[in-house]
Amino acid sequence: MESRLVIYNTLTRQKERFEPVNAPHVGMYVCGPTVYGDPHLGHARPAITFDLVFRYLKHLGYKVRYVRNITDVGHLEHDADEGEDKIAKKARLEQLEPMEIAQYYTNRYHQYMDMLNVLRPSIEPHATGHIIEQQQLVQQILDNGFAYESNGSIYFDIEAYNKKYKYGILSGRSLENIKDASRDNLDGVGEKRNQADFALWKKAQPEHIMRWPSPWSDGFPGWHCECTAMGRKYLGETFDIHGGGMDLVFPHHECEIAQAVASMGHQAVKYWMHNNMLTINGQKMGKSYNNFITLEQFFTGNHPLLEKAYSPMTIRFFVLSAHYRGTVDFSNDALQAAEKGYEKLMNAIADLDRLSSTSSCHDDKQSCDAETERIVKALRQKCYDAMNDDLATPQVISHLFEACTVVNKLVDHKATICADCLKELSETMHLFAEDILGLSMHNAQCTMGNGDNAREEAFGKVVDMVLELRAKAKADKDWATSDKIRDELAAAGFEVKDTKDGVTWKLNK
């Protein structure tokens, strides 16, 4: 299978043609959440980004095994080697078992990802379920001479590793720069030979709740170990894509590379992909910065920075409106623009479905005007070209918007289209908007507490029933009743249009 897909590889700092290690199979590992709090917009971006990658690779015909982990142990405060485990700290504060915290927030994460129409991964391994594999990884690194024991803890020996290999190849940092940055950090002083060394296994202090027996001490794995161990277990010693947020390039992914090379003698990952950050006033959004807005707050509008509630599909459209490697700064204006853009696209698709279902549009004698034919025949390839160029979703959306203009002209009878072109236009817009970009019409009005799919479907049926009553009134020339129904719907926020091909409606926000 020859792929035209080109992706940016953080490791080589250039775009490269995507050629899987073992086509048609593709292995993709993405760093998932540390489950100690509600998911926020910063969690949504990598989830949506790599959901897009997953969807597109499958569409291209690849058999994708997508692994996204759950970090439920070992991630200490401030991403350091000292301090309290983030989940254990939350458990202590709420007087719960750590696994209660992990399970609760894992469930919450799934709930919100489902609302964003993010597909579940093929495998979702938990760090606590792979302690043995992480211990085996640590032992291999020790046996190969790239780690040392100190007071029951095991640290990666960056100096020893750098003599044979090179630490810093992903982030572009030199060992001297890393050492300089570490000199002011006294974490683990007295245990580490070098402050830049990182923990592979930590001996648990008496107050530390989460601990497991090991050859070295009762303790827990370092944060970086889980992804190396679980990626290797489920995807093999060499696999195609490792993804995550750009904030993970250093130290997390840099340490992963070092662990893989130190244990196996070679890199495990062919393509490293990283989405850029979501920011508020130019600062990264995150729990550690205390500036985050949870997805629940977006869906309810319950946050001082939000002017209103925004639906999950508005959030998804907002994320996809920017290239995944570009920064996106939060603002209500940007979200409201995304809301209008999403509605424009979904309204056009709904209009297309209605046009496709009317008998007049299947008249083989109907011809296309030149402009419509030109746009329709070029649309599919333009969208593929944009996706193949490092998943350029803003360009895909731009091409779909051009198609929306054609649809609006068709509805207003300012353009004509033949049956074949109508079919092509409808299939292309459904394919790229729904199947690949993952923009679901069902989640359009879904905000917290007022919109599951069944209720939305029932809502639409009621409106259609009212419009049928209006149609009957018009047929009976009962103009007073017909006008009254139209006016009452308008007062309730519904926009009703009588067209040559029938009646259309939409709810204006």
Side-chain angles (χ1 to χ4, degrees):
M1 180 187 298
E2 183 180 353
S3 172
R4 294 184 179 181
L5 174 62
V6 172
I7 57 177
Y8 184 85
N9 189 347
T10 310
L11 183 66
T12 60
R13 295 167 183 76
Q14 64 184 9
K15 291 181 183 179
E16 298 177 2
R17 185 177 295 279
F18 179 68
E19 296 176 343
V21 175
N22 186 29
H25 300 277
V26 172
M28 180 169 75
Y29 187 100
V30 175
C31 289
T34 300
V35 283
Y36 70 103
D38 269 343
H40 54 71
L41 192 59
H43 293 116
R45 191 170 196 195
I48 292 169
T49 295
F50 292 100
D51 180 61
L52 175 77
V53 177
F54 186 33
R55 286 170 180 271
Y56 192 55
L57 288 173
K58 288 200 301 179
H59 170 70
L60 292 178
Y62 293 112
K63 297 178 181 179
V64 187
R65 178 177 289 175
Y66 175 18
V67 181
R68 187 186 65 206
N69 67 302
I70 295 288
T71 298
D72 53 2
V73 69
H75 197 168
L76 305 187
E77 296 174 282
H78 313 299
D79 301 345
D81 286 337
E82 298 295 324
E84 196 168 5
D85 185 290
K86 293 181 178 184
I87 292 167
K89 180 179 180 180
K90 185 83 169 183
R92 176 175 56 77
L93 292 173
E94 297 193 12
Q95 296 184 312
L96 295 170
E97 281 289 327
M99 286 300 100
E100 284 184 273
I101 294 294
Q103 187 65 58
Y104 176 79
Y105 287 111
T106 298
N107 292 345
R108 297 276 284 180
Y109 180 79
H110 287 154
Q111 175 189 353
Y112 291 109
M113 293 307 110
D114 289 346
M115 293 173 74
L116 290 168
N117 204 26
V118 169
L119 301 175
R120 298 287 178 97
S122 315
I123 304 172
E124 192 173 55
H126 291 233
T128 54
H130 297 79
I131 299 298
I132 291 173
E133 289 85 353
Q134 292 177 78
Q135 290 180 351
Q136 290 171 339
L137 172 68
V138 174
Q139 189 62 58
Q140 286 177 323
I141 296 171
L142 271 170
D143 292 345
N144 290 340
F146 298 113
Y148 56 91
E149 182 177 352
S150 180
N151 297 328
S153 293
I154 308 297
Y155 291 99
F156 190 94
D157 191 336
I158 288 182
E159 287 273 16
Y161 176 83
N162 208 54
K163 287 177 182 176
K164 185 171 183 180
Y165 305 106
K166 178 171 169 50
Y167 184 80
I169 59 172
L170 186 67
S171 62
R173 304 188 186 199
S174 70
L175 183 57
E176 287 307 312
N177 288 338
I178 295 166
K179 284 181 182 178
D180 290 342
S182 301
R183 281 185 185 126
D184 296 331
N185 181 358
L186 299 178
D187 288 345
V189 68
E191 286 193 355
K192 298 181 181 181
R193 294 176 184 171
N194 187 315
Q195 285 305 302
D197 294 346
F198 58 91
L200 299 172
W201 184 265
K202 284 291 293 181
K203 179 180 179 180
Q205 298 304 311
E207 67 276 7
H208 201 95
I209 307 172
M210 303 173 79
R211 59 176 68 213
W212 289 263
S214 80
W216 318 290
S217 63
D218 281 2
F220 53 92
W223 172 39
H224 311 302
C225 287
E226 62 178 288
C227 294
T228 305
M230 294 190 295
R232 183 168 68 179
K233 178 180 177 69
Y234 294 111
L235 299 175
E237 291 194 352
T238 304
F239 58 90
D240 300 295
I241 296 171
H242 194 317
M246 198 168 284
D247 57 326
L248 297 178
V249 170
F250 186 87
H252 186 49
H253 289 164
E254 195 74 78
C255 293
E256 279 194 59
I257 289 175
Q259 290 169 161
V261 174
S263 61
M264 300 184 297
H266 62 82
Q267 248 264 49
V269 179
K270 188 172 182 181
Y271 304 96
W272 286 89
M273 295 183 70
H274 294 91
N275 64 274
N276 214 320
M277 297 297 98
L278 279 160
T279 58
I280 295 182
N281 297 322
Q283 186 181 47
K284 175 196 167 186
M285 179 182 290
K287 290 189 178 78
S288 55
Y289 295 97
N290 200 32
N291 67 348
F292 61 94
I293 305 173
T294 68
L295 292 175
E296 180 179 32
Q297 289 168 330
F298 274 105
F299 300 161
T300 61
N302 185 26
H303 190 283
L305 290 177
L306 297 173
E307 294 177 2
K308 55 179 285 188
Y310 298 97
S311 75
M313 287 301 98
T314 295
I315 299 300
R316 187 175 180 107
F317 191 94
F318 171 66
V319 170
L320 293 172
S321 294
H323 191 274
Y324 77 91
R325 289 195 290 114
T327 56
V328 179
D329 199 49
F330 158 83
S331 73
N332 281 280
D333 287 346
L335 283 166
Q336 287 164 25
E339 184 175 64
K340 289 177 182 176
Y342 167 73
E343 289 176 352
K344 175 181 178 179
L345 188 54
M346 291 300 108
N347 287 338
I349 290 175
D351 285 339
L352 263 182
D353 290 344
R354 182 181 53 76
L355 288 170
S356 298
S357 67
T358 57
S359 58
S360 63
C361 287
H362 294 292
D363 183 355
D364 291 337
K365 295 179 182 178
Q366 175 88 324
S367 61
C368 289
D369 63 79
E371 181 69 2
T372 297
E373 185 174 20
R374 180 189 67 79
I375 293 173
V376 171
K377 288 190 172 181
L379 178 62
R380 187 183 293 256
Q381 191 58 53
K382 280 184 174 181
C383 289
Y384 274 127
D385 289 345
M387 285 298 297
N388 287 335
D389 185 12
D390 196 29
L391 310 168
T393 53
Q395 281 67 46
V396 175
I397 291 171
S398 175
H399 297 322
L400 293 176
F401 277 173
E402 185 180 19
C404 290
T405 302
V406 171
V407 175
N408 292 337
K409 287 182 178 179
L410 293 172
V411 170
D412 293 336
H413 301 284
K414 294 178 179 177
T416 58
I417 191 168
C418 66
D420 287 344
C421 282
L422 179 62
K423 183 173 182 288
E424 169 66 12
L425 179 59
S426 180
E427 288 179 354
T428 302
M429 290 193 73
H430 275 286
L431 169 63
F432 283 94
E434 296 182 307
D435 298 347
I436 293 174
L437 297 184
L439 296 166
S440 167
M441 296 182 75
H442 294 299
N443 292 40
Q445 304 295 333
C446 181
T447 52
M448 292 297 291
N450 74 342
D452 59 44
N453 292 349
R455 290 176 67 183
E456 288 173 27
E457 186 176 348
F459 176 81
K461 286 180 178 178
V462 169
V463 177
D464 289 339
M465 182 178 67
V466 172
L467 290 174
E468 284 176 15
L469 293 173
R470 178 172 176 264
K472 186 176 184 304
K474 288 181 71 176
D476 294 339
K477 298 186 178 181
D478 183 357
W479 308 119
T481 300
S482 170
D483 291 345
K484 186 175 189 301
I485 291 173
R486 182 198 61 206
D487 294 343
E488 290 289 342
L489 285 171
F494 292 91
E495 182 180 331
V496 178
K497 282 186 178 180
D498 292 302
T499 74
K500 178 182 174 182
D501 301 313
V503 180
T504 66
W505 65 270
K506 67 178 181 177
L507 178 60
N508 292 320
K509 295 188 177 179

